[in-house]
Amino acid sequence: MPNSLLSTPARRWATGATVATVVVGAAVAGPLIAGADSDLPDRTAAELLVELATIDIQPFAGTVVQTADVGLPELANSDTSSLPTAALSLLNGSSTARIWYTDGDTYRLALQDDQAESDLIREGQDLWFWSSEGASASHTVLTEDADSGDGAGPFGGGGNPFGGEGLPEDLPADVPTAAASLALAMIEPSTQVDVDGTATVAGRNAYELVLRPKDEQSLIGSIRVAIDGETSMPLRVQVVARDATEPSFEVGFTSIAFDEPDESTYEFAPPAGTTVEEIQPGDLDDAKPHGDPLTEEDLAGAPSDVSVVGSGWSSVVVLRDVDLDQLTAGLEGDAAAMADAFIAELEDVSGAYGTGRAMTSDLFTVLLLDDGRLLAGAVPLEVLEEAAQDPAAS
């Protein structure tokens, strides 16, 4: 069943989030406080980072909107009529999700677009995934020792979004808490961290924590994290390209209420005509990354070696033995259409490093060489080309 809990739609929401709190001391150069036009008390960047690292997520319900325009005009002009809206929105477009959260055992996520809705609902040990497209649903009864059974919740051990085991596999990647943790994971001495006044997000007063790369090679100019002044919950994350004034990527709440959702929110009955797939807990465990080892057939076309050239914001990831044909051979439907659209927009390049194809955007660049190496980073193409000649990338 294409919309099974074991397949792409549910797994596409998978994410992880971990931040080390030891970065606080190294990241903050000096005390910078909230703007005087706010009723919020003054907070330094270090204080905000500590509050983020010790946050206890309370029950809430809200609407999250994610928008992106990373500067891929050729892709936008391609025939994308067959591509999935949710996938395209990660690069160009927008998507909307409703979130209800009571605790780690009780939450609901609804991913919506103009044509369809997909819901992931957990109430105690019952876990449902439903898609209006195709009128299909998957259901399983989790075992007592399933993740979050200790009440830690989908935001990490003890409710901390940056500790414990991190976010659960079922939480969507566009939740601002997850996005904020990914941004904070990049904090190091190469990053300037400031509190740039305050903002109003989803009708709530928030501090604006700003991360600015000191490395001029980085395509990223800043990452702005709006932190709720009362609960310390991340409400919005914006990624702004260097020399730009508007964010190329943004995810944030447009509305949020810190009230416990009504119990009826988590009651689910498949609509009439829905095809239901019952999944045994053992089958779900086997599908997790820590399940059975991958076979040689599973790894066909996958990179055999990965290394990093450079450091900090201008780091270049190098993957070797990448076989694009093998990697895309098993794709079907929307996934195959998306892959074909990207491959069609790669431009031919050559230099002392060899020959290959490249794709550039406002926030990242990818270089695929004919010798099987793939280089990627939040840097211009010339940085990738230089990295390709580094002995560490050979």
Side-chain angles (χ1 to χ4, degrees):
M1 177 177 295
N3 289 311
S4 168
L5 278 165
L6 303 178
S7 64
T8 329
R11 291 292 166 187
R12 189 166 57 230
W13 287 352
T15 189
T18 305
V19 164
T21 57
V22 295
V23 301
V24 173
V28 184
L32 295 161
I33 61 176
D37 58 343
S38 170
D39 292 332
L40 294 176
D42 294 344
R43 290 287 187 274
T44 66
E47 289 172 332
L48 288 177
L49 289 171
V50 170
E51 290 172 5
L52 279 172
T54 57
I55 184 176
D56 183 14
I57 298 296
Q58 302 299 315
F60 71 90
T63 299
V64 173
V65 174
Q66 175 251 304
T67 59
D69 182 1
V70 300
L72 294 174
E74 290 85 359
L75 180 63
N77 292 332
S78 301
D79 180 10
T80 58
S81 58
S82 62
L83 300 185
T85 301
L88 276 178
S89 68
L90 293 175
L91 298 173
N92 290 280
S94 65
S95 61
T96 300
R98 292 292 312 280
I99 305 175
W100 298 264
Y101 171 79
T102 296
D103 55 39
D105 298 327
T106 314
Y107 51 87
R108 179 170 186 160
L109 313 167
L111 188 65
Q112 303 165 332
D113 59 38
D114 294 337
Q115 300 174 331
E117 176 177 331
S118 299
D119 284 36
L120 183 71
I121 306 114
R122 177 170 180 178
E123 183 181 23
Q125 304 310 112
D126 276 298
L127 185 66
W128 284 92
F129 175 74
W130 171 75
S131 174
S132 64
E133 185 177 13
S136 60
S138 300
H139 173 250
T140 190
V141 178
L142 300 172
T143 58
E144 291 295 332
D145 59 352
D147 289 345
S148 297
D150 58 358
F155 296 97
N160 174 4
F162 309 126
E165 296 301 318
L167 293 166
E169 291 184 331
D170 299 314
L171 203 65
D174 58 358
V175 175
T177 301
S181 70
L182 295 176
L184 293 174
M186 292 184 285
I187 293 177
E188 56 179 270
S190 64
T191 306
Q192 177 182 344
V193 184
D194 301 329
V195 180
D196 188 17
T198 59
T200 301
V201 180
R204 298 183 64 86
N205 290 331
Y207 298 98
E208 286 266 62
L209 185 67
V210 185
L211 292 75
R212 294 184 176 91
K214 297 179 181 178
D215 191 337
E216 294 184 356
Q217 288 186 320
S218 173
L219 291 175
I220 297 175
S222 65
I223 297 179
R224 306 180 68 91
V225 184
I227 302 169
D228 187 74
E230 181 180 348
T231 67
S232 297
M233 182 168 173
L235 298 178
R236 183 181 66 197
V237 174
Q238 298 173 315
V239 183
V240 182
R242 186 171 294 277
D243 299 326
T245 56
E246 297 297 324
S248 296
F249 180 88
E250 177 176 337
V251 54
F253 285 97
T254 56
S255 65
I256 187 169
F258 290 95
D259 299 315
E260 184 167 342
D262 190 271
E263 292 182 2
S264 62
T265 303
Y266 308 112
E267 297 174 357
F268 179 76
T274 300
T275 301
V276 177
E277 177 187 23
E278 289 290 342
I279 299 174
Q280 298 303 312
D283 295 336
L284 196 62
D285 291 338
D286 291 341
K288 293 182 179 179
H290 59 263
D292 295 336
L294 296 175
T295 65
E296 291 186 7
E297 183 178 355
D298 294 328
L299 294 173
S304 62
D305 189 19
V306 179
S307 61
V308 177
V309 176
S311 62
W313 295 85
S314 57
S315 299
V316 174
V317 178
V318 183
L319 290 75
R320 298 172 180 80
D321 300 326
V322 176
D323 188 323
L324 195 59
D325 291 335
Q326 285 189 324
L327 284 174
T328 58
L331 299 179
E332 299 179 355
D334 291 340
M338 174 65 81
D340 289 343
F342 274 102
I343 293 172
E345 300 306 331
L346 295 173
E347 60 174 311
D348 293 332
V349 294
S350 62
Y353 52 85
T355 59
R357 289 171 288 174
M359 172 176 285
T360 60
S361 77
D362 293 341
L363 296 180
F364 64 88
T365 308
V366 177
L367 174 62
L368 178 63
L369 299 179
D370 294 336
D371 60 15
R373 290 180 294 162
L374 185 150
L375 294 88
V379 292
L381 177 58
E382 54 265 28
V383 176
L384 296 188
E385 293 176 320
E386 182 179 349
Q389 302 174 63
D390 191 297
S394 63

